[in-house]
Amino acid sequence: MSPDAVVVGAGPNGLAAAITLARAGRSVVLLEAAETLGGGLRSAEVTLPGFIHDVCSSAHPLGVASPFFRSIDLARYGLEWVHPELPFAHGLAPDRMVPLHRSFDQMESVLGRDGKAWRRLLEPLVREQDRLLPMLLRPVVRFPRHPLLLARFGLPALLPMTALGRLAFRGREPRALLAGTAGHAAVPFSSPLSASFGMVLVMLADAVGWPVARGGSQRIADAMAAEAQALGVEIVAGHRVRSLADVPPARAIVLDVTPRQLLAIAGDRLPGRYAERLQRFRYAPGVVKLDWALSDPIPWRDPVARRAGTIHLGGTLNDIRRAETAAFAGRVPDHPYVVLIQPTAADPSRAPVGGHVAWAYTHVPNGSNLDLSEALEREVERFAPGFRDVILARHVMTAPELEAHDGNFVGGDINGGMQDWRQLVFRPFVRWNPYAVAGNPELFLGSASTPPGGGVHGMSGWHAAESALRRLT
């Protein structure tokens, strides 16, 4: 008997779609090309035995805060969130780390004259994050439940990051702290809405922290898969879908893929205008990622960094802007903007006793095969003299290698497509229902290339599944 629905891709969005469909009583088959489920949630011993590395994502504020994750109890399958003492810190200079505390009183002490401005900008959002976040994680075409609250967030969030930093603060510290988080989005700081990424990530850090999953991000995928199977989902790993002929007949098919794969899989079934617009979908810069097995903790010059799970190495707001502009232009900056995560600051189970793991990435032009491991390590060494002395082994993934690992990371883009103002609010392009595939009532797109975009939140898969359920009713 044919299932009611098939889901293609077992990343966080595909798993979320399968769970949502199965919770509604539908029979579901989940197909995954890789032998291991999880997509960007996979973990592996890529350096030395006993050292567990997250191949893509490690810190998961959205995994704690998103409405989808809050709707399921993954703790019963062994998932445990663990928190570093500080969610993150920003490397303003080799001997100056600016910490992000979850207390606004402490932040006023850290930021001095800008402390009250930091509180005014962010504390109301943190206080209302339970009402605000669901509005930010849904398609913009739906009327917001709390329009005044959304407007309070939206007015500063609409600004370019450079403009908000200049208008909201007088000093370098808060500007750099906010810019370091906004840099995760790989969007030019001159672009409208680029400030929104920093605001949301700081809001989440204050509200729920930036935790990691004990034992590795793979534990999140494993818990989601266990929930799906408990609901009756049939999971088939090692099944690559190259065309719709590889998908069993079903009344609804949800694809956790980007527009490029959708065109490859279903291009001959798509209306010409819709296919043309998918072809114009733009991908963001890629990343080069470097994993390290370490004999000791990173010897940071400023001890504040030892207490943080995530470190942004970038200098001032203008330093980050220049580094990211260079990546967009295909140049290698003298001091790249670096996102570094040290999971063993919160979870020592990821390494043998006394050992540690860490990873870092920096942006490169989409599809570039540049290996910037030397530049990455040199930048870390600036902030942590003696860093190279504690490296036991390293593993490098260039942008094309990341795409080979996960087909949704097109050209090394880990966010499912450019998230500038044109492709953040409306993804993959302007449509009333971005999840429904035009001309094919049984096809639905439920990946990070649809609202709300990149991140481990499961919301794109959830919304796509809800659309599919209306088809199945």
Side-chain angles (χ1 to χ4, degrees), residues 163-182:
L164 180 62
R166 186 171 57 251
L167 292 171
F169 308 113
R170 292 178 290 175
R172 299 185 307 161
E173 287 82 359
R175 293 175 179 175
L177 197 60
L178 199 60
T181 57

Side-chain angles (χ1 to χ4, degrees), residues 225-262:
E227 171 73 359
Q229 289 175 316
L231 292 166
V233 175
E234 178 187 351
I235 298 177
V236 182
H239 184 108
R240 185 171 296 280
V241 173
R242 294 181 172 85
S243 74
L244 290 177
D246 300 321
V247 180
R251 292 173 57 207
I253 300 171
V254 179
L255 298 119
D256 180 6
V257 300
T258 79
R260 182 174 298 182
Q261 290 97 324
L262 177 59

Side-chain angles (χ1 to χ4, degrees), residues 18-19 60 94 174 181 220 283 296 393:
I19 290 169
H60 297 288
T181 57
I220 308 171
Y283 291 91
D296 293 282

